[in-house]
Amino acid sequence: MMAIWFSPLQQNPQQQMSVTPALACPIPLERYPHVLMAHGGGGWLMRQLIEEMFLATFGPELDWQHDAASLTLAGKRLAFTTDSYIVTPLFFPGGDIGSLAVHGTVNDLAMSGARPRYLSLSFILEEGLPMETLWRVVRSIQQAAEQAQVRIVTGDTKVVDRGKGDGIFINTAGIGTLAHQEFIGPRSVQPGDAILLSGDVGRHGIAILSARAGLTFETTIESDSAPVAPAVLDLMNGVCVHCLRDLTRGGLASALNEIAHSANLHLQLNASAIPIGNAVEGACELLGLDPLYVANEGRFIAFVPDADAAQALACLRQYNQAAQVIGHVLESSSPNRFRHGQVTLKSTLGATRVLDLLSGEQLPRIC
Amino acid sequence: MMAIWFSPLQQNPQQQMSVTPALACPIPLERYPHVLMAHGGGGWLMRQLIEEMFLATFGPELDWQHDAASLTLAGKRLAFTTDSYIVTPLFFPGGDIGSLAVHGTVNDLAMSGARPRYLSLSFILEEGLPMETLWRVVRSIQQAAEQAQVRIVTGDTKVVDRGKGDGIFINTAGIGTLAHQEFIGPRSVQPGDAILLSGDVGRHGIAILSARAGLTFETTIESDSAPVAPAVLDLMNGVCVHCLRDLTRGGLASALNEIAHSANLHLQLNASAIPIGNAVEGACELLGLDPLYVANEGRFIAFVPDADAAQALACLRQYNQAAQVIGHVLESSSPNRFRHGQVTLKSTLGATRVLDLLSGEQLPRIC
């Protein structure tokens, strides 16, 4: 028989036991002692966390947030990516957390030029979630996977106590096959490249916001959540694609800023060429949001040589009439250690302004 | 200019919009209208959810919870698996949520006989989490990945509002390569097979419980959390392995029940052969827990032909002296539509009792 002692409950048991050797936290703790919503918002606070903590620890070749990692296994090139989905509310016009969890991950695979093949699916459920709600989400996942032609092959279910989650969180990881040999990503972007946008922007964010706040617009604004792989694979068939990126958290402006930063180039856009629906434009005006920073879930940008731009546009318009050439790539003007590359927007009146990276998302928990 | 209406806030917007055609929920809603903690606990409520909702929707060949899915891509066989980690507290004797998130997923890959190669890593952080805590977990992940010889190649970060999460949840998905052609899993189990256990059981669950409740035992009980792939790959080198399973939620008894159920066979165990440390046995006696149902994170069972049992045991003892042959596989006695296969335990006094599947985990949020 052994003895047992009940010691007073420790408020923070993690403070008591050290498992890893001390190494200073790379994020300045006096300035950011805690994780903020903006650390997940797609802006520069998230970039700081990714670059200074995650890339510094796991290696600079790590893919984090954007694109998919490219692996070579026995001579075969694969793409591998992951995303967790925490959108609130769970259901919104044009989609739900289930369809989003499929579209988001297959689109990340497509952005590396891969054909999406397999998904994993992991649920973190909150105790007390209506079983009927789970069932509706499961059905939606099944339909979205069928539409995107991916198979869900492995899964996991965890349940957390009431008040320690928020209904349903979903993680999907995806594997795709890469048929091409080119590297598709920011470092392939060249000065002179045309920048194409696959459709109108801002619908996903406004759809979420309206569902969350109980807003009703004259026209129901539906999320653009959809798989984009068919358009991408079709585009790559005839055109040399240098870089692709889907527009999610932080919208068009953040995606362009990430690419300008990674490629150390200057991206110049024409405001008049950027397609924004009337309903989204009106809603953004009323709500004080900039549609260029509003989240999307079925839109992407493609960088192609200017000579291929017309053919690329014709291809994208088969999938969405609103597709446009929205700008071009220039040499970076004055790189310094604080800023690599920048994005500028030429207004309809001819004035040019810098389109900067925000600290976080205008609206949290969008995907 | 467009009009906007502010309608009263909807309590449950998901109740208002239907996105999927109605199809009756396969879980009886009058009995289980809500998700319970036990639906994630590794017992029969989780089995019901998996079989009747997930496998029925995504296909019976889906891997859920156990083992890894086996994929063939361009003639190359891969294993693919996923797990989310929600353990509380985040740090416990012998490990933390970070090392657990690496070990759990590489062990799932090893259970299909695969060599773990790549991991994805996705965080769901709660607003207000101390940055220092995140950093300690990131360091622990890095060290565990290095030890397990896997590379973290893609990641994602999401942040949820305070009170909508619980510090840190982690999802890892893993890709491994399969060198062998045999199918390792319950349907390869044969009557006459010997059942081997790779070490003593119950340490992870008791370590978590003591950290959570502030219990102090005479001896500190450390989690057994560790990668098992080296032992498994070594075992497979010389021995024909029919089935492998790591013992996590629900412990040894639940893992054996799952295999007996899937293989429709009778597994007979000798109680005296099952290695349980004195400290774990004492703690379980005091706390009223059955160590055969307590979670582990670095233990597995292997089914091998009886003729190979001695060689297999010698191999496993190189990694853990406590490894044992704990029983054998018999023909199933009386299968019926409610019970396929069963697990029985012969006590040291010669009496035999059925080791059943519980409805959930004795202790929630263990992994």
Side-chain angles (χ1 to χ4, degrees):
Chain A
M1 190 63 184
M2 61 179 296
I4 185 170
W5 291 275
F6 290 80
S7 58
L9 263 169
Q10 294 158 359
Q11 282 300 312
N12 274 313
Q14 62 266 43
Q15 301 302 317
Q16 318 292 320
M17 287 168 257
S18 183
V19 288
T20 51
L23 192 78
C25 177
I27 304 291
L29 292 177
E30 63 287 357
R31 190 135 181 221
Y32 302 108
H34 297 105
V35 171
L36 308 173
M37 290 303 288
H39 280 115
W44 65 261
L45 267 177
M46 188 159 101
R47 182 201 282 175
Q48 183 194 45
L49 185 67
I50 290 170
E51 292 192 352
E52 294 179 16
M53 188 181 287
F54 301 137
L55 302 195
T57 304
F58 299 115
E61 77 278 23
L62 172 72
D63 156 70
W64 201 277
Q65 180 202 7
H66 288 304
D67 313 322
S70 157
L71 318 173
T72 303
L73 280 169
K76 181 77 189 166
R77 286 184 69 215
L78 300 180
F80 184 32
T81 192
T82 187
D83 248 318
S84 289
Y85 299 87
I86 57 165
V87 66
T88 179
L90 299 176
F91 300 83
F92 48 83
D96 58 71
I97 192 171
S99 55
L100 199 63
V102 173
H103 298 156
T105 297
V106 300
N107 289 353
D108 278 347
L109 290 172
M111 290 307 106
S112 65
R115 182 181 296 278
R117 298 289 300 275
Y118 298 103
L119 290 188
S120 67
L121 170 63
S122 179
F123 289 107
I124 298 177
L125 308 175
E126 186 188 7
E127 182 189 21
L129 174 79
M131 189 64 80
E132 183 82 46
T133 303
L134 176 61
W135 174 234
R136 287 182 57 205
V137 170
V138 165
R139 288 276 297 152
S140 169
I141 291 170
Q142 189 269 328
Q143 288 170 6
E146 201 172 287
Q147 192 204 348
Q149 297 182 290
V150 286
R151 279 185 53 206
I152 290 163
V153 290
T154 182
D156 180 51
T157 323
K158 293 292 189 314
V159 182
V160 294
D161 343 31
R162 208 182 283 257
K164 299 292 184 183
D166 195 14
I168 305 182
F169 299 146
I170 299 179
N171 176 280
T172 50
I175 297 179
T177 43
L178 285 157
H180 60 91
Q181 291 303 317
E182 302 81 36
F183 175 81
I184 294 181
R187 65 180 154 91
S188 298
V189 174
Q190 301 290 328
D193 279 358
I195 308 170
L196 284 91
L197 173 60
S198 70
D200 63 314
V201 293
R203 291 212 269 123
H204 179 68
I206 300 298
I208 295 288
L209 181 62
S210 61
R212 202 182 291 173
L215 304 182
T216 315
F217 301 105
E218 269 177 23
T219 321
T220 300
I221 298 172
E222 292 209 333
S223 167
D224 57 305
S225 179
V228 301
V232 169
L233 295 169
D234 203 0
L235 182 67
M236 288 174 55
N237 235 346
V239 169
C240 168
V241 176
H242 288 165
C243 182
L244 295 161
R245 183 139 304 169
D246 54 339
L247 314 179
T248 58
R249 287 178 277 185
L252 176 67
S254 303
L256 288 166
N257 262 286
E258 286 302 327
I259 292 171
H261 174 75
S262 303
N264 191 17
L265 289 167
H266 175 181
L267 312 184
Q268 194 168 50
L269 311 181
N270 296 315
S272 61
I274 300 173
I276 304 169
N278 288 338
V280 167
E281 192 149 30
C284 282
E285 249 172 52
L286 281 163
L287 298 165
L289 298 173
D290 183 338
L292 302 186
Y293 290 90
V294 173
N296 311 271
E297 284 293 338
R299 297 289 176 261
F300 64 95
I301 43 176
F303 291 72
V304 304
D306 197 44
D308 288 356
Q311 191 189 340
L313 185 61
C315 173
L316 291 184
R317 287 207 169 150
Q318 290 174 27
Y319 295 88
N320 192 321
Q321 271 299 320
Q324 281 286 7
V325 176
I326 60 167
H328 284 85
V329 180
L330 308 177
E331 289 284 0
S332 196
S333 37
S334 60
N336 62 42
R337 65 178 286 259
F338 300 107
R339 171 177 300 284
H340 299 279
Q342 64 174 352
V343 183
T344 56
L345 183 75
K346 208 192 265 181
S347 79
T348 41
L349 301 173
T352 295
R353 69 175 173 102
V354 172
L355 210 59
D356 222 333
L357 198 60
L358 303 183
S359 69
E361 169 65 83
Q362 298 179 116
L363 192 67
R365 299 195 53 190
I366 206 80
C367 62
Chain B
M1 190 65 184
M2 61 180 294
I4 184 171
W5 292 274
F6 290 79
S7 58
L9 263 169
Q10 293 159 1
Q11 282 301 311
N12 276 310
Q14 63 264 46
Q15 302 301 317
Q16 320 291 322
M17 287 168 257
S18 183
V19 286
T20 51
L23 191 77
C25 177
I27 304 290
L29 293 175
E30 63 288 357
R31 191 137 179 219
Y32 301 108
H34 297 103
V35 170
L36 308 173
M37 290 302 288
H39 280 115
W44 64 260
L45 267 177
M46 188 160 100
R47 182 201 283 175
Q48 182 194 47
L49 184 67
I50 290 170
E51 292 192 352
E52 294 179 16
M53 189 181 287
F54 302 137
L55 303 195
T57 304
F58 299 116
E61 77 279 21
L62 172 72
D63 156 70
W64 200 275
Q65 181 201 8
H66 288 304
D67 314 323
S70 158
L71 317 174
T72 303
L73 280 170
K76 181 76 189 166
R77 287 184 69 214
L78 299 179
F80 184 33
T81 192
T82 187
D83 248 318
S84 289
Y85 299 86
I86 57 164
V87 66
T88 178
L90 298 176
F91 300 84
F92 48 83
D96 58 71
I97 192 170
S99 56
L100 200 64
V102 174
H103 298 155
T105 297
V106 300
N107 288 353
D108 277 347
L109 290 173
M111 291 306 107
S112 64
R115 182 181 297 278
R117 298 288 300 276
Y118 299 103
L119 290 188
S120 66
L121 171 63
S122 178
F123 289 108
I124 298 177
L125 307 175
E126 185 188 7
E127 182 189 22
L129 175 78
M131 190 64 80
E132 183 82 47
T133 303
L134 176 61
W135 174 234
R136 288 182 58 206
V137 170
V138 165
R139 288 276 296 152
S140 170
I141 291 170
Q142 189 270 328
Q143 289 170 7
E146 200 171 289
Q147 191 204 349
Q149 296 182 289
V150 286
R151 279 185 52 207
I152 290 163
V153 290
T154 182
D156 180 51
T157 323
K158 294 291 188 317
V159 182
V160 294
D161 344 29
R162 210 180 281 256
K164 299 294 185 183
D166 195 14
I168 305 182
F169 298 146
I170 299 178
N171 177 280
T172 50
I175 297 178
T177 43
L178 285 157
H180 61 88
Q181 290 304 315
E182 302 81 34
F183 176 80
I184 293 180
R187 64 181 155 91
S188 298
V189 174
Q190 301 291 327
D193 278 359
I195 308 169
L196 284 91
L197 172 60
S198 71
D200 63 314
V201 293
R203 290 212 271 122
H204 178 68
I206 300 299
I208 295 287
L209 181 62
S210 62
R212 202 181 292 174
L215 305 181
T216 315
F217 302 105
E218 270 178 21
T219 321
T220 300
I221 298 172
E222 291 209 333
S223 168
D224 57 305
S225 180
V228 301
V232 168
L233 293 169
D234 203 359
L235 183 67
M236 287 175 54
N237 234 345
V239 169
C240 168
V241 176
H242 289 164
C243 182
L244 295 160
R245 182 141 303 170
D246 55 338
L247 312 179
T248 57
R249 288 177 277 185
L252 175 66
S254 303
L256 289 166
N257 261 285
E258 285 302 327
I259 292 171
H261 173 75
S262 302
N264 191 17
L265 289 167
H266 175 181
L267 312 184
Q268 194 168 51
L269 311 180
N270 297 315
S272 59
I274 300 173
I276 303 170
N278 287 338
V280 167
E281 191 148 30
C284 282
E285 250 173 50
L286 280 162
L287 299 164
L289 297 173
D290 183 339
L292 302 186
Y293 291 90
V294 174
N296 310 270
E297 284 293 339
R299 298 288 176 261
F300 64 95
I301 44 176
F303 290 72
V304 304
D306 197 46
D308 288 355
Q311 191 190 339
L313 185 61
C315 172
L316 291 185
R317 286 207 170 149
Q318 290 174 26
Y319 295 88
N320 190 323
Q321 271 298 320
Q324 281 285 6
V325 176
I326 60 165
H328 283 85
V329 180
L330 308 177
E331 289 284 359
S332 195
S333 37
S334 59
N336 61 43
R337 65 178 285 257
F338 299 107
R339 170 177 299 285
H340 299 278
Q342 64 172 352
V343 183
T344 56
L345 183 75
K346 208 192 265 180
S347 79
T348 42
L349 301 172
T352 295
R353 70 175 173 100
V354 171
L355 211 58
D356 222 335
L357 199 59
L358 303 183
S359 68
E361 168 66 83
Q362 298 179 116
L363 193 66
R365 300 196 51 190
I366 207 78
C367 62

